């Protein structure tokens, strides 16, 4: 990157080259702070007949320029920078997920240990992990070789063994990959990049195993000891290889790379980057979700530990059938407050799958789609919880007091009670007709406990800000706070279970525009208006057995943020359980839908 | 094709129950056709005669035969007085000891719960067994050894194979060995008894075979050290300090050596999993090891690891039996306390009935 004085940067142009659309945003210094001012988009042109990603970029940037009254592209079709008073930009940055993003295969000795670390490194760098090869994956060597041959990854990450530990099985993994000669996706002359991040003693042996057909890079071990995970060197290597090898072979990216002031990042990697930046600067725990047509990405930062998962078969169009199969129709229909014909719904699902760009045309279709979204999000979050765990294979320290409370390693680090911020993005959440629906979807699917702020990414700006955070963290943080996030409000939810109609907690709300007190019965849901920018003090006195973060039955007092939806008091208990009986379930759901004012003007009984 | 074990299991439960009931109620009472010369009358009720001092209390068969009608006549009078029918008397005298009917009831409840839970498990309904961290950690411990390129040390206690804890230890050894075979890790089993060594070799070999890695089995890694308690422990300590195994399993009967072993294992940074039914050694293991199987957990390992409905059902049934015993104990304590505190005759009669009839 060019050495620019951060204080002199006034105009920032950012693009995200997606599979179908290239989105451009303009960030300008307005007064003393950075604001996102304009946005534009154009179809991505990475595929034939254009086969040049920069054409889509130029189109999107031109639209932004027209809206902003500023010229960004010169007569030769190149970006103008540095900026002058009327044209150009000081910084241009970009992310990319075009052509399916970064697709990787990872390998390690033990699936739950070094292979899991390799997977975390790859996912954290923004890749899609196609498969994980491990010595205990229950596959025979010939099956593993067959699988490696079938896949066409952009690169392979090999790990295994602690430093000074296992070398035999690490070399065995290399010996599986070398003869399989996996072919890369792009370019016939392209040598497949392989990153080795395993036992340093095994590195020379691994080097000997591969011939000139592959581009081997050796980096620091990602598990130098089992007690510690060192993912940064592997992630950096993935980014470098992504730029040098993968991007360089994708149509038009060689030109795009010369335009950008910071390395092009894979889109999910950039989203993770901004979430980490925000969580670390504000000292909070955050979860982000991006639900797409084919996949659902979940990002989390708990106690400064970042995790990302991609649920490859959970999405709202291409993968909607899989969501229905995995969740089952009764589970989906429990979120619907009236009778629906299951046969008709199945047709609706298949139609959505073969016509992925259609959107619901009727209220019923919208309600059903949002019911499917709840299940897709719930399943994706469940998978995330299973993946985001403490390290396995670590020695435990015990006392006699642990006699009856021993727990195995690999417990999830995702704790909904500690969750401070839940950010939503993706069509079904971002483009819901009412924000109340987005809030309700998030609460039902993620089941936040205690006090949780809910927000949504206004125009899917997080990828742009993720790269910007690398270049200009201040601008990224300011835009994230002011323009990227639309605060929906705060959810205050009780953890614990009880009997319907019994007292759950009493509350007192003190704010400039909202002053309320009352009691919530188990199963109740209440929404109070609390506008964006407003705050209120909420005092909760939980009934015995219900917890809001201070322990069961203990009083808690917290300041909450308002938003477009407001303040939600949730006494439905956690884990959230809906009545099994369909009629009772519908009545309960109807009550909640009305409490949240999800579908106003609904005349249906 | 039928699985013979499963087939046998399906039909053997009912006869087994009947046999158990018969044993419970039959006890020392012999049928009339028995040629056993043991007397039917209880020895404790017979006073040694002055005519035969020093003679064994056991009477010869003809003497017994001669004595029987007389005794039977006496009992018949007593039974008639208590309203017993002749057929009942005959059953009592020749087949079952009906005074032990309560024992039959207890046996039926215990065996019935086992049979019920086995049937319940076989029907495909889930039998919930809580997670036992020590057994769940086997994969983790062997995985650690694999990643570190070090061995797994398995110590099956210091008792011989006739000790039930050593037998239970073999079940866990099978699981550890199977995992080690799958992960291609090395398992070393030094034993303090030669018969344990032989059993362990068989167990490990079978585990490697079932994992599809018979070639990886090395019998030299399972060896006998010494019968001497501290000689054995000294050897193990030396081995641990020299080889630094990444995972240590202590499963079986342990005495004073428990803390010596666990502390040494802790100092070399190994993941340690212990399991014993020796109450005195449990605190040491809990404090020094990563995971500890406590008493019954250790014996439940077989059912837990196999996951077979028969074993899980049996485990659940036994637990139900234990719960009943526990409940009765509490009830008995409360009743006895109340009886002595209040002086209530009704309660005292009830307690007497329980102690003199049900529990004898």
């Amino acid at each position: 990157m060019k050495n620019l004085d951060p204080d002199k940067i006034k105009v920032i142009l950012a693009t995200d080259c997606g599979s179908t659309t290239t989105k451009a945003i303009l960030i300008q210094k307005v007064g003393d702070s950075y604001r996102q001012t304009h946005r534009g988009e154009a179809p991505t042109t990475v595929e034939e007949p254009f086969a040049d990603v920069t054409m889509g970029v130029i189109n999107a940037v031109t639209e932004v320029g027209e809206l902003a009254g500023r010229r960004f592209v010169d007569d030769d079709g190149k970006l103008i920078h540095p900026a002058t008073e009327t044209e150009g930009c000081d910084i241009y940055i970009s992310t990319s997920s075009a052509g399916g993003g970064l697709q990787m295969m990872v390998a390690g000795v033990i699936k739950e240990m070094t292979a899991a670390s390799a997977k975390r490194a790859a996912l954290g760098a923004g890749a899609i992990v196609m498969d994980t090869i491990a010595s205990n994956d229950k596959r025979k060597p010939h099956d593993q070789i067959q699988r490696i041959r079938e896949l066409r990854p952009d690169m392979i990450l090999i790990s295994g063994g602690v430093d000074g530990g296992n070398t035999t099985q690490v070399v065995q993994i290399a010996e599986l990959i070398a003869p399989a000669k996996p072919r890369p996706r792009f370019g016939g002359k392209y040598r497949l990049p392989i990153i080795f991040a395993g036992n340093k003693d095994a590195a020379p042996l691994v080097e000997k195993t591969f011939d000139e057909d592959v581009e081997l890079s050796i980096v620091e071990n990602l598990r130098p000891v089992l007690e510690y995970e060192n993912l940064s060197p592997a992630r950096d290597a993935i980014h470098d290889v992504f730029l040098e090898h993968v991007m360089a072979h994708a149509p038009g990216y060689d030109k795009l790379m010369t335009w950008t002031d910071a390395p092009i990042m894979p889109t999910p990697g950039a989203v993770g980057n901004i979430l980490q930046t925000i969580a670390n600067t504000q000292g909070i725990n955050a979860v982000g979700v991006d639900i797409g047509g084919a996949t659902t990405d979940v990002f989390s930062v708990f106690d400064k530990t970042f995790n990302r998962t991609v649920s490859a078969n959970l999405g709202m169009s291409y993968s909607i059938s899989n969501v229905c199969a995995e969740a089952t129709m009764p589970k989906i229909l429990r979120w619907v407050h009236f009778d629906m014909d299951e046969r008709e719904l199945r047709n609706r699902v298949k139609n959505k799958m073969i016509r992925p760009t259609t959107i619901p045309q009727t209220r019923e279709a919208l309600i059903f789609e949002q019911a499917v979204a709840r299940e897709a999000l719930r399943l994706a979050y469940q998978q995330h919880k299973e993946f985001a765990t403490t390290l396995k294979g670590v020695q435990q320290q015990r006392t006699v007091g642990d006699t009856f409370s021993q727990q195995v390693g690999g417990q999830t680090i995702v704790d909904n009670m500690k969750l401070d911020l839940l950010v939503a993005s993706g069509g079904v959440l971002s483009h819901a007709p009412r924000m109340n629906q987005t809030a309700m979807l998030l609460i039902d699917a993620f089941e936040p406990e205690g006090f949780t702020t809910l927000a949504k990414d206004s125009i899917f700006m997080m990828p742009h800000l993720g790269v910007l955070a690398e270049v200009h963290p201040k601008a990224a943080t300011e835009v994230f706070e002011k323009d990227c996030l639309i605060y929906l409000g705060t959810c205050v939810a009780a953890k614990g279970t009880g009997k319907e109609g019994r007292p759950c907690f009493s509350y007192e709300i003190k704010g400039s525009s909202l002053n309320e007190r009352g009691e919530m019965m188990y199963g109740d849901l209440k929404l109070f208006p609390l506008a964006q920018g407003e705050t209120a003090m909420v005092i909760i006195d939980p009934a015995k057995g219900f917890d809001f973060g201070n322990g069961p039955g203990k009083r808690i007092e917290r300041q909450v943020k308002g938003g477009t939806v407001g303040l939600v008091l949730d006494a439905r208990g956690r884990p959230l359980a809906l009545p099994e009986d369909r009629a009772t379930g519908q009545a309960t759901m109807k009550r909640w839908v009305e409490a949240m004012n999800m579908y106003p003007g609904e005349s249906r009984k | 094709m039928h699985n013979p074990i499963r087939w046998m299991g399906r039909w053997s439960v009912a006869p087994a129950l009947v046999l158990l009931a018969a044993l419970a109620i039959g006890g020392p009472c012999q049928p009339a056709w028995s040629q056993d010369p043991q007397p039917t009358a209880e020895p404790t009720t017979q006073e040694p005669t002055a005519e035969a001092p020093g003679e064994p209390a056991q009477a010869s068969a003809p003497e017994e035969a001669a004595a029987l009608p007389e005794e039977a006549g006496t009992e018949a009078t007593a039974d008639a007085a208590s309203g017993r029918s002749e057929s009942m008397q005959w059953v009592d005298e020749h087949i079952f000891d009906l005074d032990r009917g309560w024992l039959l009831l207890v046996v039926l409840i215990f065996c019935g719960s086992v049979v019920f839970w086995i049937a319940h498990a076989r029907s495909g309904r889930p039998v919930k067994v809580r997670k036992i961290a020590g057994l769940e950690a086997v994969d983790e411990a062997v995985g650690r050894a694999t990643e570190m390129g070090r061995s797994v040390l398995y110590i099956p206690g210091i008792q011989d194979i006739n000790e039930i804890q050593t037998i239970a230890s073999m079940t866990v050894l099978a699981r550890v060995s199977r995992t080690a075979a799958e992960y291609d890790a090395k398992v070393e089993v030094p034993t303090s008894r030669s018969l344990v060594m032989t059993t362990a070799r068989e167990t490990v070999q079978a585990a490697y075979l079932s994992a599809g890695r018979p070639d990886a089995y090395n019998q030299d890694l399972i060896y006998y050290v010494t019968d001497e308690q501290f000689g054995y422990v000294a050897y193990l300590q030396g081995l641990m300090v020299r080889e630094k195994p990444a995972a240590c399993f202590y499963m079986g009967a342990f005495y004073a050596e428990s803390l010596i072993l666990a502390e040494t294992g802790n100092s070399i940074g190994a993941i340690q999993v212990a399991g014993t039914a020796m109450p005195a050694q449990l605190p040491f293991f809990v404090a020094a090891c990563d995971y500890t199987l406590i008493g019954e957990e250790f014996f439940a390992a077989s059912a837990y690891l196999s996951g077979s409905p028969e074993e899980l059902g049996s485990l659940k049934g036994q637990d139900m039996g234990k719960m009943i015993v526990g409940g009765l104990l509490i009830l008995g304590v409360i009743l006895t306390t109340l009886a002595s505190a209040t002086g209530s005759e009704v309660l005292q009669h009830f307690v007497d009935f329980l102690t003199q009839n049900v529990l004898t």
Side-chain angles (χ1 to χ4, degrees), chain A residues 395-417:
Chain A
Q395 197 189 25
Q396 312 276 330
Q397 292 301 321
R398 304 263 187 221
T399 64
V400 178
D402 296 332
T403 307
F404 300 108
S405 58
Q406 300 171 43
Q407 281 195 326
V408 283
Q411 297 292 315
T412 185
I413 59 167
V414 176
D415 181 357
N416 278 356
M417 188 59 89

Side-chain angles (χ1 to χ4, degrees), chain B residues 7-305:
Chain B
W7 186 87
M8 278 171 65
R10 185 170 294 168
W11 297 106
S12 60
V13 172
L17 188 60
V18 172
L19 184 68
L20 274 169
L23 284 173
I25 201 163
C29 183
Q30 299 299 317
W33 57 85
S34 169
Q35 293 302 307
D36 195 319
Q38 270 201 324
T40 49
E42 291 198 8
T44 46
T45 57
Q46 283 187 333
E47 291 292 326
T49 53
E51 290 80 17
E55 284 284 307
Q58 200 170 305
S60 65
E63 283 168 351
E64 184 200 343
L68 271 172
E70 196 182 325
E71 284 178 13
T74 319
E75 281 180 20
T77 319
D79 285 342
S82 62
R84 269 182 159 181
S85 69
E86 280 189 20
S87 58
M88 290 284 279
Q89 283 173 36
W90 189 87
V91 168
D92 197 3
E93 286 159 15
H94 300 281
I95 301 177
F96 295 128
D97 179 3
L98 291 181
D99 289 340
R100 303 182 71 187
W102 281 104
L103 186 58
L104 172 67
L105 184 69
V106 171
V107 168
L108 284 177
I109 290 173
F110 277 74
C111 296
S113 74
V114 171
V115 171
F116 170 78
W117 283 106
I118 288 175
H120 177 89
R122 275 184 185 163
S123 69
R125 279 171 286 184
V127 178
K128 189 181 179 306
V129 180
R130 75 172 166 83
K131 290 217 164 194
I132 300 176
L135 296 174
E136 293 286 314
V138 168
D139 291 356
E140 195 179 344
V142 179
R144 179 182 169 89
T146 313
E147 291 283 8
M148 294 177 83
R150 296 195 198 154
S151 61
V152 174
L153 180 66
Y154 191 98
I155 303 166
I158 60 163
Q159 291 291 290
D160 215 330
I161 198 68
N162 59 350
E163 166 66 42
I164 190 72
Q165 295 184 61
T166 313
I167 295 168
S169 174
M170 292 298 119
T171 311
V172 183
L173 175 62
R175 167 63 186 264
V176 172
S177 313
R178 198 191 150 95
T179 310
E182 285 168 358
Y183 289 15
D184 203 9
K186 192 174 85 170
V187 186
E188 196 163 350
V189 190
T191 67
S192 73
R193 308 284 164 159
S194 55
L195 278 177
V196 176
M197 177 193 76
T198 315
T199 317
R201 280 184 173 176
E202 294 281 337
T203 307
V204 175
Q205 190 174 20
Y208 271 75
L209 194 63
S210 70
R213 298 289 316 276
D215 54 305
Y217 168 66
N218 179 4
Q219 71 166 12
D220 294 343
L221 290 173
I222 304 149
Y223 51 89
Y224 165 76
V225 180
T226 170
D227 274 29
E228 289 299 320
Q229 181 186 13
F230 285 102
Y232 179 59
V233 174
Y235 170 80
L236 291 175
Q237 261 195 306
L239 178 76
M240 287 158 90
V241 171
R242 281 192 309 274
E243 303 282 325
K244 292 194 169 43
C248 296
F249 290 87
Y250 314 111
M251 299 279 171
F254 290 91
Y255 293 87
E257 67 283 354
S258 61
L259 191 59
I260 301 172
L261 294 174
E263 275 300 325
T264 311
N266 192 292
S267 71
I268 58 165
I271 280 195
Q272 302 191 97
V273 186
T276 187
M278 309 295 275
Q281 308 308 322
L282 279 171
F284 304 126
F285 277 144
V286 170
C289 294
D290 298 63
Y291 305 98
T292 309
L293 301 178
I294 303 154
E296 285 293 306
E297 285 183 344
F298 184 36
F299 297 122
S302 173
Y304 187 88
L305 295 175

Side-chain angles (χ1 to χ4, degrees), chain A residues 320-391:
Chain A
I320 193 169
S321 286
N322 189 63
V323 175
C324 295
E326 215 168 301
T328 70
M329 209 47 108
K331 279 250 168 101
I332 291 171
L333 286 177
R334 68 193 171 136
W335 302 112
V336 178
H337 56 287
F338 50 82
D339 281 326
M340 278 189 166
D341 178 20
E342 208 170 306
R343 185 186 160 81
E344 190 194 318
L345 294 179
R346 291 189 189 283
N347 289 337
R348 231 173 238 173
V349 167
K350 299 298 173 197
N351 269 321
K352 179 78 181 179
M353 196 173 77
I354 58 173
R355 298 179 182 87
T357 53
T358 54
I359 56 169
Q361 300 295 311
T362 62
R363 188 191 298 267
E364 283 78 9
L366 177 72
I367 291 169
F368 176 67
E369 189 176 277
Q370 291 184 343
V372 178
R374 281 181 176 98
E375 283 303 307
L377 291 169
R378 186 181 63 81
L379 292 170
Y381 195 44
Q382 202 172 306
Q383 286 179 12
H384 184 81
K385 281 180 186 170
E386 284 163 13
F387 181 73
T389 57
T390 54
L391 297 179

